[in-house]
């Protein structure tokens, strides 16, 4: 069920017309539905059911503290990749005991901070990281709960930039050397081996690559058991892909049921780190047409949102649907490229869309809740946009649009030399 719905010609989110939100908060602006975020999280939580384990929302997908708060209130765990993300979780009221820490480049300070907070697990990505974590934990008089992120060398069949489980990717520990690294982990002070994890990529719209990875991880777990290393949890990384256009991802229930069934009689808790599938289709980016520029070759609609606001189309050739907030009254339907004000040919948010457009027309770039705002920047000295969370017929401003002062905060002029 979509929380976006057209009522009397107006595209609405939950109980509110998006045009009204655009009037109140301006454009460009990200809008999110609380109900959609909750529904998506609950699909995972319910699919896991009473099986031991955790759903740890991947904060990187959308790290606004109000979004994290909504999830924390449902009891969600969190997958973080930096101290900043951990601090966001704490601000939002999240439980550090439900936090897992992923990422290839954790620093000494980040490790010490996370240990001090009492997080649930470090997903360690290399032998070198393991040695440092042991040293830091020993210095802090702490024991670091650890899972090794194994690279199972499976093809996730997704965009190469978001494929992470192949030998040639920088992520994880080669599955062929994992046994050795586990034995080292078991012998190190300050380390407690708890789990095995992998993350093979994002926007996977089929379960098979996950199942292939699972088989390899289960073999490893059995081998470890033979050597006396008991694994308590298995973490299969990110969630399944979402429907942007015509993708047909499997249901979360089906996906998790199959995984549970494949565990056989092994007593393993299950962890998942879904990001995109919790928030992508809960959000949209609202934008307004500034100018129409039909040319002999192409029709360009210059809109006020640009690649700095949502880089996904430019970076991954991502396709996201475009919906008018209200149909144009007098325009004819043509093919349009929606481009932003940034001085780059790669600055577009949608290409070749059949739309009836007029200047001032407002549009929604759909499925923008994940990897949208979080990847935005101040390129071309454009302020980062507002974020609004809709809850029934209430709209909450959860991030104010940046001002020019925000943009230059922290910059400094050089001291003037005499005579200048
Ligand atoms: N766990 C780890 C270790 C990850 O690296 C990621 C995503 C996730 C979980 C969450 O995966 P998800 O459930 O969202 O598929 N910016 C790109 C996506 C980058 C994904 C990075 N890692 C995009 O916009 O498509």
């Amino acid at each position: 069920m979509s929380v976006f719905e057209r009522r009397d010609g107006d595209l609405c989110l939950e109980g509110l017309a998006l045009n009204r939100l655009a009037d109140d908060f301006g454009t460009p602006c990200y809008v999110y539905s609380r109900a959609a975020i909750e529904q998506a999280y609950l699909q995972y939580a319910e699919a896991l059911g009473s099986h031991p384990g955790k759903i740890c929302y991947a904060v990187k997908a959308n790290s606004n503290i109000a979004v994290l708060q909504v999830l924390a209130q449902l009891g969600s765990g969190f997958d973080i990749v930096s101290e900043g993300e951990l601090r966001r979780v704490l601000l939002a009221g999240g439980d550090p005991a439900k936090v897992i820490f992923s990422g290839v480049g954790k620093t000494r300070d980040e490790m010490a901070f996370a240990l001090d907070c009492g997080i649930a697990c470090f997903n360690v990505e290399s032998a070198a990281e393991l040695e440092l974590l042991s040293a830091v934990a020993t210095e802090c008089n702490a024991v670091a709960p650890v899972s090794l992120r194994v690279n199972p060398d499976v093809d996730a069949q997704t965009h190469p930039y978001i494929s992470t489980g192949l030998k040639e990717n920088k992520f994880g520990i080669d599955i062929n050397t994992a046994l050795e690294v586990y034995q080292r982990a078991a012998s190190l002070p300050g380390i407690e081996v708890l789990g095995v994890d992998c993350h093979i990529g994002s926007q996977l719209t089929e379960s098979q690559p996950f199942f292939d990875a699972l088989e390899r991880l289960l073999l490893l777990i059995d081998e470890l058991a033979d050597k006396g290393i008991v694994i308590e949890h298995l973490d299969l990384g990110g969630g399944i892909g979402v429907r942007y256009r015509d993708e047909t991802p499997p249901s979360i229930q089906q996906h998790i049921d199959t995984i549970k069934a494949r565990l056989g009689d092994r007593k393993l808790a299950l962890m998942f780190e879904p990001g995109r599938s919790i928030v992508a289709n809960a959000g949209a980016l609202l934008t307004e047409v500034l100018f129409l520029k039909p040319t002999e070759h192409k029709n360009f609609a210059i809109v006020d949102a640009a690649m700095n606001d949502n880089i996904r189309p430019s970076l991954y050739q991502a396709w996201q649907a475009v919906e008018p907030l209200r149909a144009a009254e007098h325009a004819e339907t043509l093919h349009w490229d929606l481009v932003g004000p940034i001085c780059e040919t790669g600055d577009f948010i949608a290409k070749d869309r059949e739309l009836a457009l007029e200047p001032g027309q407002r549009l929604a770039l759909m499925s923008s809740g994940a990897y949208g705002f979080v990847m935005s920047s101040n390129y071309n000295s454009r302020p980062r946009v507002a974020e609004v969370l809709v809850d029934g017929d209430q709209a909450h401003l959860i991030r104010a649009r940046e001002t020019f002062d925000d943009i230059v905060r922290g910059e400094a002029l050089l001291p003037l030399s005499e005579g200048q």
Side-chain angles (χ1 to χ4, degrees), residues 282-301:
L285 172 60
L286 309 187
T287 183
E288 185 169 303
V289 174
L290 298 174
F291 307 107
L292 294 179
K293 192 170 168 183
T295 73
E296 234 174 78
H297 301 288
K298 258 194 171 170
N299 299 318
F300 293 106

Side-chain angles (χ1 to χ4, degrees), residues 89-149:
V89 169
L90 299 175
L91 258 186
D95 180 357
K98 293 184 185 168
V99 167
I100 53 183
F101 194 169
S102 301
V104 288
K106 304 173 192 78
T107 65
R108 174 183 282 274
D109 287 349
E110 287 181 314
M111 289 174 181
F113 181 72
L115 279 169
D116 192 45
C117 293
I119 67 163
C121 195
F122 289 83
N123 288 352
V124 170
E125 300 228 13
S126 63
E129 180 190 335
L130 181 67
E131 299 294 328
L132 180 62
L133 183 57
S134 164
V136 174
T138 311
E139 267 166 44
C140 300
N141 275 326
V143 174
V146 157
S147 161
L148 296 189
R149 175 171 176 181

Side-chain angles (χ1 to χ4, degrees), residues 29-337:
C29 171
Y30 278 94
V31 293
Y32 312 119
S33 152
R34 177 176 192 156
I37 295 171
E38 292 183 338
Q39 278 165 25
Y41 169 79
L42 289 172
Q43 278 183 17
Y44 278 96
E46 281 161 16
L48 185 61
S50 59
H51 192 99
K54 281 190 212 40
I55 307 301
C56 295
Y57 168 69
V59 173
K60 63 169 79 70
N62 184 327
S63 57
N64 185 289
I65 55 174
V67 169
L68 304 183
Q69 182 187 24
V70 165
L71 290 163
Q73 284 175 1
L74 293 178
S76 179
F78 296 94
D79 169 52
I80 57 151
V81 289
S82 67
E83 178 175 334
E85 287 191 349
L86 179 49
R87 287 185 184 274
R88 283 178 176 276
V89 169
L90 299 175
L91 258 186
D95 180 357
K98 293 184 185 168
V99 167
I100 53 183
F101 194 169
S102 301
V104 288
K106 304 173 192 78
T107 65
R108 174 183 282 274
D109 287 349
E110 287 181 314
M111 289 174 181
F113 181 72
L115 279 169
D116 192 45
C117 293
I119 67 163
C121 195
F122 289 83
N123 288 352
V124 170
E125 300 228 13
S126 63
E129 180 190 335
L130 181 67
E131 299 294 328
L132 180 62
L133 183 57
S134 164
V136 174
T138 311
E139 267 166 44
C140 300
N141 275 326
V143 174
V146 157
S147 161
L148 296 189
R149 175 171 176 181
V150 169
N151 184 330
D153 192 27
V154 299
D155 186 355
Q157 287 157 7
T158 183
H159 190 281
Y161 287 7
I162 50 178
S163 190
T164 49
L166 283 170
K167 279 207 290 281
E168 60 260 37
N169 300 137
K170 69 176 174 182
F171 299 99
I173 295 165
D174 181 348
I175 192 149
N176 299 313
T177 62
L179 187 62
E180 226 173 280
V181 186
Y182 267 105
Q183 283 174 319
R184 175 76 184 147
S187 74
L188 280 173
I191 298 287
E192 184 193 8
V193 173
L194 281 191
V196 173
D197 69 282
C198 73
H199 170 76
I200 56 175
S202 193
Q203 186 53 10
L204 275 69
T205 49
E206 282 178 29
S207 285
Q208 197 53 47
F210 285 104
F211 299 158
D212 294 345
L214 174 65
E215 291 309 318
R216 296 188 187 182
L217 263 50
L218 290 176
L219 283 178
L220 172 67
I221 288 171
D222 292 345
E223 241 179 298
L224 288 169
D226 289 344
K227 305 269 184 227
I229 299 175
V230 179
I231 296 298
E232 289 173 25
H233 78 244
L234 171 65
D235 171 353
L236 279 180
I240 49 186
V242 302
R243 186 182 185 104
Y244 284 106
R245 188 177 197 172
D246 48 12
E247 299 89 339
T248 50
S251 85
I252 290 163
Q253 183 78 50
Q254 220 178 2
H255 180 72
I256 294 187
D257 279 350
T258 312
I259 292 168
K260 282 187 202 165
R262 294 199 180 191
L263 298 183
D265 51 14
R266 298 176 189 86
K267 297 265 168 301
L268 285 168
L270 280 175
M271 318 269 264
F272 295 92
E273 306 164 359
R276 188 192 308 269
S277 46
I278 305 282
V279 285
N281 283 322
L285 172 60
L286 309 187
T287 183
E288 185 169 303
V289 174
L290 298 174
F291 307 107
L292 294 179
K293 192 170 168 183
T295 73
E296 234 174 78
H297 301 288
K298 258 194 171 170
N299 299 318
F300 293 106
I302 299 158
V303 298
D304 62 2
M307 67 189 287
N308 74 298
D309 303 309
N310 180 353
I311 203 172
R312 302 195 67 260
S314 308
L315 190 58
Y316 314 111
Q317 298 81 46
W319 189 100
Q320 295 175 227
V322 175
E323 290 282 342
L325 301 199
R326 217 185 149 79
E329 279 170 20
H330 308 293
E332 64 171 318
T333 300
L334 296 170
H335 286 257
W336 295 98
D337 278 11

